[in-house]
Structures are given as C-alpha cells and as structure tokens.
Amino acid sequence: MSNSATARPLRVAIIGSGPAGVYAADILTKSQEVRGGDVEVSIDLFETYPAPYGLIRYGVAPDHPRIKGIVNALHKVLDRGDIRFLGNVTYGRDLTLSDIRSFYDAVIFSTGAIKDSGLKIPGVELEGSFGGADFVSWYDGHPDVPREWPLDAKEVAVIGNGNVALDVARMLSKHAEDLLVTEIPDNVYRGLKASPVTDVHIFGRRGPAQVKFTPLELRELSHSKDVDIVLYPEDFVFDAASDEAIRTNNQVKTMVNTLTNWLVEEPSHADKPASRRLHLHFLHSPVEIVGTDGKVSGMKFERNELDGTGRARGTGEIVEYPVQAVYRAIGYLGSELPEVEFDAARGVIPNEAGRVLDTDGKPVPGIFATGWIKRGPVGLIGSTKGDALETIGCLLEDRLSLPKAEKPEEQAVIDLLESRGVQYTSWEGWLKLDAHEMALGAEYGAEFGADGDAERAGSDEGGAFVKRPRVKVVPREDMVSISRGTSAGISENAHNG
C-alpha cells in the first residue's frame, strides 16, 4: 500500500493513550481509506506515564464494574502490533511541537482532563478541603502524587452529583478489606483501613431527577458492606420538568425509582445499624466551607427548590453540617498544552470538528484533537468513540494537504528520545509490568488473626487468602525499570509506594 500524498506511510502521532487516543488510532487503522489500500499509516501513541490507558488506569475507581472490560478492549487494540506505544514521554518536555512536526505528518492531541474545576466559595483553601480529582489520582496509584493522603475526618462532605462524586464517596465510605479484590496499591489500602470515617455526605444542587450519575454507578452504592444509605424525604420534591423526565427518560425513571425505593423501604439498619453511613442530599447549593484554626469544621449550604423547569433556585434557608473534610467533585478541566491554543474557560483546545484552530480561528494544518481535551469532560465511552470518528474523518479528508514530515522514518523519533536520555517504555515493556503487577496480586495475602482483623492486606473474613487480580506498582522509577528490564534496583515493595 502507499499513501498517494507522500508515497510512503502517513506518519501520525497521538498524544495520550487513554480511550480517546486508542480509539482514534484504532479507527484510523480500520478506516475505509486504509483498509482499501488508498492510504498506509504508521502510528505512534505517546503517553506521559510509563503505562498505557490514561484515565482508565488513573481516573476510574478500582471497584468500577466496567473497568476490566474497557481495559481488555484497549489491550486488544494495542496488542495487535500495528500501533506503536511509547510511554514515559511527556509532550512539551521530552518532545516539542516542532519535534513532532519533523517526524510526523499529523498529530492528534487526546490528553483528556485531569484537573478539578474550581469552586469559588469562602473556605475552599482550608486544610481538609480537597479536589476530587486529586483524591482519585491518589487511590488509583498515580505515580506523580504523594503516597499518603490525610484521612482523619469522621464526617465528610462530597460536593457534586456526577459519577466522580459517587466514586469518591463510595471509596471514602467503603471498608478497605472490600477493596482487596481490586488493584489498589498497598499504601492506599493502609490509608483507607486507618480512616476513622463514620459518615459521608453527598450534596447535589438539584433534585433526584436531575442527577448526572448513571444507574450502574448508583446501584454500586448499595453493594458496599456495612454501609447504610441514608436519604431525606424533604429532598424528594418533583416539579413539572422532573415528572416529564421521569415519564420520558428510562434512565431518569430507573434512578428515581431506585432512590425512592431506598427512601420508602423500611430501613434495614433500624435494628442493627452499620458502622458507616452514606448520606444522599439533594437541593443543596454550597455557600461556605467553615473553618476552625485553619481546618475544615463544617459546611454551609443554601436549600434550593425546583423552578418548574428542572432548574434550582435558592430559598434563602441556610443549613450547616459538621464535617472535617470536603471533597469537590464538580467536574474536570483540561490542561493547557505548550505551543497549542487553549480555551482556559472551557478547559479545551479550540477546534472545529477536531481540527485545531489558531488565534484567528483558522485550522492549523496537521494538528487535531479528540476526547475530553476536544469537547470538555462530558459524555461516556460512546461519546469518545464518536469524537474519534469525527476527528479521524477530518484527518483523512486533509491528508493530501498535510505538511510533510522531514524525518518520517520510524527510527528517527527513537534516536531523538535516546539522544535526550528519555527512558521511554514500549508495549513489550507494558506487558512485563502487567505481568509483574499480576504476580504481586497472586502472591499477596495473609490469614486473619485471632481477633478477626487482617494482620496485613490480602485476607478475607473467613481466613482464606484473597485472590487479587493485580497490585499496582506506584513509583514511576520502578514502573520504568520493570518495563525496560532493568528492575534489579527497584524498591523492595514497589507496590507500596
């Protein structure tokens, strides 16, 4: 096959190996133009972390029921061998845009969104006020965040009514032993096990019919052992728009029915209350984080009411809850990329159908975007695939006019990385790290002591060893060493961080 524009393979760089980047690479390789022989492509998928999968590895709760299936799907794409993975390479530091222009005819940015959206209320700077995204990075074993997390609050507020808010609240309220069947690192297990938390409160601005989480995430709340779900009748007020949504939208109907059933059913914890409680509050707008001696000691909200259109308006009534920690989970925001235009208000790269725009609003030849950095942090996997399809369509439309790479040979970028001392990782290296993490899981476990408590992570209540799917390696240097086959000097307990 040959590319009619260049008489050689079309060289494409994709920055970011999360679902958006992998889907873009997969769609390009399976496009009619490529499969029909009109275009031959050569794709390099770059990742700033030593391991692939982006948000799926470092942004989804480890007990998420669908995570394994998504990882398996991404693995199959990258394991085919027609897409080259280059990890531990940071755009803007290890590779500049001019470098990429030299080696590739086109580049697709799929860097996602990893920062927390801001919450502009008094007290947000207090000790004990956290961004939900930062907490997610910690419990997912992100290599570039601190190994420890301050889990000393008995009562916690989680602000937000999306899937991230539910993930954060579930992880805070769930007993650490119940997470041993996941891939959480040992330092995360120890931190969660020592947590004195008794009550986690989730606060949403609108009503039960306007929540942004999904039925699957909602049902997961009820699967936590020794955790009671608490709801409040005064929050279950529906306006005309709510009634219409319940009548016409099956997802909304399912969630409202689930919540209402939890509310009206005779509480199963009446006679034997659980040791922890997960409270779901609606119609609350955050007003102020209250502090004592510089630390979070409470949270003030204004009670809302629905206005008939599904929107919330304040009633003037202020309520306060005693909490010692607040987690803001009101959305993600993309990060600016060097040498690329950026819309700071929306947290996205300005683009038109995936074609990146310059300061004058004109498409920049050969530069594209897909995923959350393209459209903002909304939508699920299906939206990500649709994004990639649109972007790849534009790239293929533009292929005859793309600026030609000066050094299109596949070895050229490798030579540059090596000359700069970049310890890049490969797909073969990921397979080594993957096997290492699964081996850590297989060997992990200890029987319960006589007091019924775990002597160390890895056992269940019956005294049997817990079979763990894997234990994540946390330190970046250890991930690189294992991937590159130079693991002799890695830390004794790489998974401990």
Side-chain angles (χ1 to χ4, degrees):
M1 292 186 295
S2 65
N3 177 9
S4 58
T6 60
R8 58 166 172 78
L10 183 71
R11 289 284 283 145
V12 178
I14 299 177
I15 313 299
S17 71
V22 176
Y23 291 148
D26 188 40
I27 288 170
L28 179 55
T29 61
K30 293 178 178 177
S31 66
Q32 182 177 348
E33 291 84 349
V34 172
R35 300 185 75 170
D38 293 334
V39 181
E40 184 179 1
V41 294
S42 171
I43 303 171
D44 285 344
L45 186 65
F46 291 95
E47 174 58 58
T48 191
Y49 309 122
Y53 307 143
L55 184 70
I56 297 300
R57 182 173 169 94
Y58 293 122
V60 178
D63 62 344
H64 194 291
R66 292 196 303 159
I67 186 171
K68 185 175 181 180
I70 297 171
V71 167
N72 288 342
L74 300 180
H75 179 98
K76 287 179 181 178
V77 173
L78 296 180
D79 201 43
R80 294 194 312 246
D82 57 348
I83 301 164
R84 185 166 65 172
F85 171 78
L86 294 169
N88 203 40
V89 179
T90 298
Y91 169 76
R93 184 190 68 192
D94 301 322
L95 276 181
T96 66
L97 184 59
S98 59
D99 294 330
I100 291 172
R101 290 293 219 176
S102 296
F103 302 127
Y104 301 93
D105 306 300
V107 56
I108 302 172
F109 289 99
S110 58
T111 50
I114 60 173
K115 295 194 304 183
D116 285 288
S117 294
L119 180 63
K120 296 180 180 179
I121 60 172
V124 74
E125 76 290 342
L126 289 167
E127 182 180 341
S129 171
F130 306 107
D134 293 333
F135 182 58
V136 171
S137 293
W138 175 75
Y139 67 58
D140 271 332
H142 193 294
D144 298 334
V145 301
R147 302 290 182 261
E148 306 304 321
W149 190 272
L151 290 165
D152 50 11
K154 289 187 176 180
E155 299 157 303
V156 179
V158 178
I159 312 302
N161 253 182
N163 286 339
V164 175
L166 290 194
D167 282 351
V168 167
R170 194 176 67 253
M171 290 294 291
L172 286 166
S173 60
K174 206 166 188 174
H175 291 276
E177 284 76 17
D178 294 334
L179 291 165
L180 286 175
V181 294
T182 75
E183 59 188 33
I184 60 167
D186 197 31
N187 66 298
V188 175
Y189 168 80
R190 292 196 310 267
L192 292 173
K193 182 167 178 56
S195 170
V197 69
T198 59
D199 293 83
V200 177
H201 301 260
I202 305 175
F203 294 95
R205 187 172 56 86
R206 296 193 289 172
Q210 288 80 39
V211 295
K212 296 298 184 183
F213 40 75
T214 60
L216 181 65
E217 293 282 351
L218 180 62
R219 287 193 294 268
E220 278 298 299
L221 295 184
S222 64
H223 297 165
S224 296
K225 299 176 184 176
D226 192 32
V227 179
D228 288 335
I229 298 176
V230 183
L231 298 106
Y232 298 87
E234 61 269 26
D235 292 343
F236 284 76
V237 179
F238 302 96
D239 63 357
S242 300
D243 292 337
E244 178 67 10
I246 295 168
R247 187 181 66 81
T248 59
N249 188 307
N250 285 333
Q251 178 166 301
V252 173
K253 180 179 180 180
T254 298
M255 289 190 292
V256 170
N257 284 344
T258 299
L259 291 166
T260 304
N261 287 339
W262 288 349
L263 175 68
V264 300
E265 287 174 355
E266 182 69 24
S268 61
H269 50 81
D271 298 325
K272 189 180 180 181
S275 64
R276 294 179 178 179
R277 289 161 294 280
L278 182 57
H279 306 255
L280 297 177
H281 303 269
F282 304 100
L283 300 172
H284 283 67
S285 283
V287 172
E288 179 185 359
I289 302 175
V290 180
T292 303
D293 298 327
K295 298 181 179 181
V296 172
S297 60
M299 184 86 190
K300 289 183 179 180
F301 295 87
E302 181 178 12
R303 288 285 299 175
N304 293 332
E305 62 183 7
L306 297 176
D307 67 358
T309 68
R311 296 184 178 88
R313 61 191 175 198
T315 65
E317 178 188 356
I318 303 298
V319 292
E320 183 174 346
Y321 297 84
V323 295
Q324 300 82 50
V326 174
Y327 289 79
R328 308 178 304 276
I330 57 173
Y332 285 107
L333 198 67
S335 301
E336 186 172 2
L337 297 167
E339 302 181 82
V340 181
E341 282 301 307
F342 189 69
D343 183 340
R346 296 179 57 220
V348 299
I349 297 174
N351 69 92
E352 188 176 277
R355 293 183 176 96
V356 171
L357 306 177
D358 62 16
T359 53
D360 297 323
K362 297 179 179 179
V364 182
I367 303 182
F368 303 86
T370 192
W372 280 5
I373 199 65
K374 170 187 174 183
R375 73 176 189 276
V378 293
L380 301 175
I381 293 297
S383 301
T384 301
K385 289 182 177 179
D387 259 353
L389 188 63
E390 180 183 58
T391 295
I392 293 303
C394 291
L395 187 155
L396 288 170
E397 285 178 12
D398 297 349
R399 67 184 185 276
L400 298 179
S401 59
L402 295 173
K404 295 181 181 180
E406 298 173 5
K407 304 172 185 176
E409 301 81 12
E410 292 185 352
Q411 185 61 31
V413 69
I414 299 297
D415 291 342
L416 179 71
L417 293 174
E418 291 180 346
S419 72
R420 292 177 176 174
V422 179
Q423 299 290 296
Y424 65 89
T425 61
S426 64
W427 180 249
E428 292 72 19
W430 160 246
L431 295 179
K432 293 177 185 177
L433 178 57
D434 185 38
H436 180 87
E437 291 185 342
M438 288 192 289
L440 289 176
E443 71 184 24
Y444 207 76
E447 293 190 8
F448 265 57
D451 61 354
D453 197 7
E455 294 179 342
R456 70 179 295 263
S459 51
D460 64 13
E461 215 167 296
F465 287 89
V466 171
K467 184 178 180 181
R468 304 200 62 190
R470 72 169 64 239
V471 179
K472 278 185 181 174
V473 173
V474 179
R476 179 185 285 263
E477 60 272 20
D478 291 339
M479 296 172 67
V480 173
S481 295
I482 295 165
S483 298
R484 291 176 63 89
T486 58
S487 55
I490 68 171
S491 59
E492 183 177 349
N493 294 302
H495 54 290
N496 289 348

